[in-house]
Amino acid sequence: NIAEIDIENHELYKLLGYKLRETGQFQEAVFIFKKVLQWRPMEPQSYRDYGLALADAGQYQQAVDTFYTALKKNYEEGVAGLYRGFEEILVTEMNRIIARHKEEINTSSYGMKLVHAMPVDVRVVLSWNKNNTDMDLWVVDPNGDKCYYGHKETLIGGRISNDFTRGYGPEQFLLKKAIPGKYQVLVNYYGDQQVKISGPATVMAEIFTHYADGKE
């Protein structure tokens, strides 16, 4: 049992939450990620994970409210410095929930600067459960153009988010208008700075086509 390996280990609970989402046990995932948020409110990933679980469980207003809280929160400088650019991922995911369930969500208190339609043909997002770990997302398009931290924009318009080298991620790839062909999604395990009872890092890769455009 993942949760019993090391009691109140937030990294193991993140892993458990990933597995629950993967297997469609969304209410249980909400419970687990709420625990992580209670233990780690100082980290934006805690709000993101909880918000995504709420959306999976159909609690759309609460999910978007959680994302908005994460966007407006003042984090300690050490944490904020690790995750500069994280807001781009939060805004993308928040607006996807709004676009898909706009009849069920009241956005009047958010401020219109944060609410925009943001559909893309391809979105890939990579998350992992271990702190002080550097995972790198690579996406190779049909032309062989590899988008990664050293080449952040491709000729056909692919773009990758900031490279988070000492935290949990996530990292995302966006492509507004895709061309036909085969795309490769790759994960490069660059390294970590820890040895822990909870074992090696676990990666969750989520791949979307027609993201937030009504045909997802």
Side-chain angles (χ1 to χ4, degrees), residues 45 48 86 89 125-128 161-162 164 168-172:
Q45 289 87 351
R48 175 182 179 259
F86 192 92
I89 296 170
V125 60
L126 186 72
S127 307
W128 56 95
S161 61
N162 287 354
F164 299 133
Y168 310 96
E171 295 183 9
Q172 78 172 358

Side-chain angles (χ1 to χ4, degrees), residues 113-124:
K113 289 184 178 180
L114 290 176
V115 180
H116 299 281
M118 302 176 69
V120 293
D121 281 354
V122 177
R123 180 179 187 251
V124 181

Side-chain angles (χ1 to χ4, degrees), residues 52 67 71 86-99 114 116-120 123 159 172-174 211-212:
L52 290 175
F67 276 98
L71 286 164
F86 192 92
E87 300 85 358
E88 174 187 338
I89 296 170
L90 292 177
V91 168
T92 300
E93 292 172 332
M94 185 179 82
N95 278 284
R96 178 245 189 180
I97 300 169
I98 294 170
L114 290 176
H116 299 281
M118 302 176 69
V120 293
R123 180 179 187 251
R159 185 168 61 86
Q172 78 172 358
F173 168 85
L174 299 174
Y211 185 80

Side-chain angles (χ1 to χ4, degrees), residues 33-97:
F33 284 123
K34 186 175 183 179
K35 286 287 188 184
V36 175
L37 178 56
Q38 289 169 350
W39 297 332
R40 310 289 293 186
M42 74 292 291
E43 294 169 340
Q45 289 87 351
S46 300
Y47 295 90
R48 175 182 179 259
D49 289 336
Y50 183 49
L52 290 175
L54 287 166
D56 287 340
Q59 299 177 52
Y60 306 119
Q61 184 70 61
Q62 192 173 351
V64 175
D65 288 345
T66 300
F67 276 98
Y68 184 72
T69 298
L71 286 164
K72 301 300 287 183
K73 182 179 175 67
N74 289 321
Y75 299 96
E76 292 184 2
E77 181 58 32
V79 172
L82 281 178
Y83 300 115
R84 298 201 188 282
F86 192 92
E87 300 85 358
E88 174 187 338
I89 296 170
L90 292 177
V91 168
T92 300
E93 292 172 332
M94 185 179 82
N95 278 284
R96 178 245 189 180
I97 300 169

